[in-house]
Each structure stands twice: as structure tokens, then as C-alpha cells.
């Protein structure tokens, strides 16, 4: 399968009077065509710079950016417009033209590309149907909900039939129910047209809901990466813990257990057979085709050493607060 996005040795340095700022520091990333890949990280990790380099809004200091085998970073001014048409963009703020209808907003990039009027109308109708807005083409942005506006934004990004769809915090301004609908739409669009999707987000719920794989950016470097099913199985890592959050409990519990199994019943039967251990809270989900969970456990002080040994023997990844292992 031809790769949709390939970044090799990507580095971006901003020279400043007080010293250089390294925004990206040697990014290597391969996103296969048709995959949905999430980029997560705290503010300042380099997510926005990464997007700008992929879209050639910024030229990298060094390294390469390939989209379906074509070097975006090396495109000259003559080729840059053509290359950018292969990349659709969806933003947190949709930025629709208030004085244009939904259909006119979607048609705008086609007008810029000088697509004939008849084909524009045909393509807009296709896209309105694709994003679930058939019959709403005549509505103005003020007449649409936040989720409907984002659907128009997705349709507009797909107007030129791009091979890559970049989504920069596409659901941050939406409520939970609308977020799920938009993520389902993104997955459906991928399935129906085969577009490669790169989602920049700080919301782990987005990654859990829709992504096939994920990368964690930290200070301009990818520090964790992989398919969702593999990442959540790396118990104790930052991504695994954030992708499988534990419920907040009133009591302070010093013992946690994590697992990735085919049948969760075996886990709970094993825990139930260990003296002095009880489940205080837990999260169990299926991510990337893997059944995974994290548990907070109450362990009787006089049974701690034996209980921890039994939990590990049962195949659970057990972590305890510093200094509590032999307490």
C-alpha cells in the first residue's frame, strides 16, 4: 500500500535573538494511505508546526515531507498550489463565509480552481449527501448548528478530492454528542472515499473513538507511537494511561492493575480468588481490537506482599505508589 504521509528527519528551527527555538526535532512518521492517525501532545509540543510543515505553510529547516510520494517541502511556487489541493484542511473554527450558503461555501475552492459551474453543482450535491446535509445547501451559517457547520467545513475540505485530510482540533468547540457524530462522519468519509486522515488533538477521547494509530509529541519529538492496540498494551506508559483513564475516587488507592486480554472474565475471576484484594474502581474498553482495562485495587495491608505477587502471577501489570511495594 502506498504511503499517504511520510515524514523523514523533519526539523523546524526558528532563529530568535535570544537563541534558536527548536519546534520540531527530527520527526519520523509514516501514515499509510487510508489510515486515521492521531497526533497528541501538550500545548507547545509542536503540533501546529507539524501541520504547517505538512501543508507547506512552513518550510522545514531540514528533512522531507511526502504526500503520496510527492515531496511537499520541495515543491516550487508553480507546483505548490497543485500539491496543496491534495490536502484538505478542517479547523476547530470552521470560518465559513456568513453571506454565502452552505452550498456556496463548499463550492468556493472549486470556483478558485476554475471548475465548470455544472461540475461544481454536481460535486457540491455529492458532498452535501456525503456529510449528511442533503437538502440544507441553501442554508446560511447562521441557520446551522455547530455540528452542521463543521460538516460543511468537512465537505469544503473534500471539495477538490484530496488524498489527505488534516483535522486540527476538529471537535474542541463541540459538545460530547456532536463530537461523536463528527468523529463517526470522519470515519465514514475515510471508509467511503479512502482519504488518509491526520487528526491533531489534545483530547484522548478523540483518539479512542476514531484513530487507528497515534503519536505523542513532546518538545518537538515523537516519544511514543504505534497502532492503538499496541499502544494500550504497553502498560504504564503515558499514552496507555491516558487512553485508559481511571475513574476519580474519593479514597486514595495505592495499587493499580492493568491488563490486555481476550476475555475480561478471567481477570476478575483471578482477582476474586486472591485474599485481601477488592476492586475499588476500573475502566474496561476495547481499543484497536484489544480488550484492555485499568483497575484501582484495595489491598489489605497484612496481605500486600502476597497479593501483589499473586496479581502479577495472574498476568496483570501492577503498579504501586513509591515506597508502598513492601508497606
Amino acid at each position: 500500500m502506498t504511503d499517504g504521509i511520510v515524514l523523514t528527519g523533519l526539523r523546524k528551527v526558528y532563529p530568535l535573538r535570544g537563541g534558536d527555538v527548536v519546534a520540531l526535532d527530527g520527526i519520523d512518521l509514516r501514515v499509510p494511505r487510508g489510515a486515521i492517525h492521531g497526533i497528541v501532545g501538550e500545548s507547545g509540543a509542536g503540533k501546529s508546526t507539524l501541520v504547517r510543515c505538512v501543508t507547506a505553510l512552513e518550510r522545514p529547516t531540514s528533512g522531507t515531507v511526502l504526500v503520496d510520494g510527492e515531496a511537499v517541502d520541495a515543491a516550487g511556487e508553480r507546483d505548490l498550489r497543485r500539491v496543496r489541493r491534495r490536502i484538505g484542511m478542517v479547523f476547530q473554527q470552521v470560518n465559513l463565509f456568513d453571506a454565502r450558503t452552505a452550498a456556496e461555501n463548499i463550492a468556493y475552492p472549486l470556483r478558485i480552481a476554475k471548475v465548470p459551474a455544472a461540475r461544481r453543482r454536481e460535486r457540491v450535491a455529492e458532498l452535501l449527501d456525503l456529510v449528511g446535509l442533503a437538502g440544507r445547501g441553501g442554508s446560511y451559517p447562521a441557520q446551522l448548528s455547530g455540528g452542521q457547520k463543521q460538516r460543511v467545513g468537512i465537505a469544503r475540505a473534500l471539495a477538490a478530492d484530496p488524498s489527505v485530510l488534516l483535522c486540527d482540533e476538529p471537535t474542541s468547540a463541540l459538545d460530547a454528542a456532536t463530537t461523536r457524530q463528527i468523529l463517526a462522519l470522519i470515519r465514514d468519509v475515510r471508509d467511503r472515499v479512502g482519504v488518509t486522515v491526520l487528526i491533531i488533538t489534545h483530547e484522548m477521547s478523540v483518539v479512542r473513538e476514531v484513530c487507528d494509530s497515534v503519536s505523542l509529541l513532546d518538545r518537538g519529538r515523537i516519544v511514543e507511537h504505534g497502532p492503538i492496540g499496541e499502544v494500550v498494551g504497553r502498560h504504564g506508559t503515558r499514552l496507555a494511561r491516558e487512553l485508559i483513564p481511571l475513574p476519580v475516587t474519593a479514597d486514595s488507592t495505592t495499587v493499580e492493575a492493568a491488563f490486555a486480554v481476550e476475555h475480561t472474565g478471567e481477570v476478575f475471576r483471578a482477582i476474586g480468588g486472591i485474599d485481601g484484594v477488592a476492586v475499588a474502581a476500573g475502566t474496561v474498553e476495547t481499543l484497536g481490537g484489544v480488550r484492555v482495562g485499568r483497575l484501582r485495587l484495595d489491598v489489605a495491608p497484612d496481605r500486600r506482599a502476597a497479593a501483589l505477587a499473586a496479581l502479577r502471577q495472574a498476568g496483570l501489570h501492577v503498579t504501586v505508589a513509591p515506597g508502598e511495594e513492601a508497606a
Side-chain angles (χ1 to χ4, degrees), residues 92-139:
Q92 175 181 349
Q93 303 297 331
V94 188
N95 296 325
L96 301 179
F97 295 109
D98 292 335
R100 298 176 188 260
T101 65
E104 290 168 341
N105 271 280
I106 296 169
Y108 182 75
L110 298 174
R111 290 183 58 196
I112 296 298
K114 295 182 170 51
V115 174
R119 176 53 188 154
R120 287 204 306 266
R121 289 191 295 271
E122 181 183 356
R123 180 62 175 156
V124 168
E126 292 172 358
L127 291 165
L128 284 168
D129 182 64
L130 178 65
V131 301
L133 289 177
R136 296 303 303 270
S139 299

Side-chain angles (χ1 to χ4, degrees), residues 198-247:
L198 189 66
I199 299 181
I200 310 299
T201 183
H202 67 277
E203 299 175 287
M204 286 296 176
S205 59
V206 170
V207 177
R208 288 197 301 272
E209 186 75 21
V210 76
C211 292
D212 302 311
S213 54
V214 62
S215 296
L216 173 62
L217 271 184
D218 186 11
R219 299 180 184 179
R221 297 183 177 182
I222 292 179
V223 295
E224 291 186 52
H225 169 81
I228 297 297
E230 291 183 12
V231 168
V232 296
R234 299 171 192 160
H235 305 304
T237 64
R238 178 175 162 188
L239 270 181
R241 294 175 69 86
E242 292 185 8
L243 283 168
I244 316 168
L246 276 170

Side-chain angles (χ1 to χ4, degrees), residues 5-11 26-30 60 62-66 73:
I5 302 172
V6 180
L7 311 179
T8 305
L10 192 63
R11 182 176 171 84
I27 298 293
D28 293 316
L29 178 65
R30 187 180 297 266
S62 60
T64 60
V65 179
L66 301 181
D73 59 286

Side-chain angles (χ1 to χ4, degrees), residues 5 84 132 192 304 317:
I5 302 172
R84 282 177 175 161
R192 292 172 64 178
R304 180 176 292 270
H317 177 86

Side-chain angles (χ1 to χ4, degrees), residues 28-60:
D28 293 316
L29 178 65
R30 187 180 297 266
V31 182
R33 179 181 293 177
I36 302 178
H37 186 82
I39 301 288
V40 298
E42 298 178 353
S43 179
K47 302 190 299 297
S48 295
T49 303
L50 181 64
V51 169
R52 294 180 66 83
C53 286
V54 171
T55 57
L57 293 174
E58 293 271 8
R59 297 285 188 175

Side-chain angles (χ1 to χ4, degrees), residues 20 47 94 113 121 138 150 190 196 246 248 263 267 279 289-290 326:
D20 292 349
K47 302 190 299 297
V94 188
R121 289 191 295 271
Q150 192 61 284
R190 185 278 305 270
T196 304
L246 276 170
V248 177
H263 301 294
V267 172
V279 177
V290 178

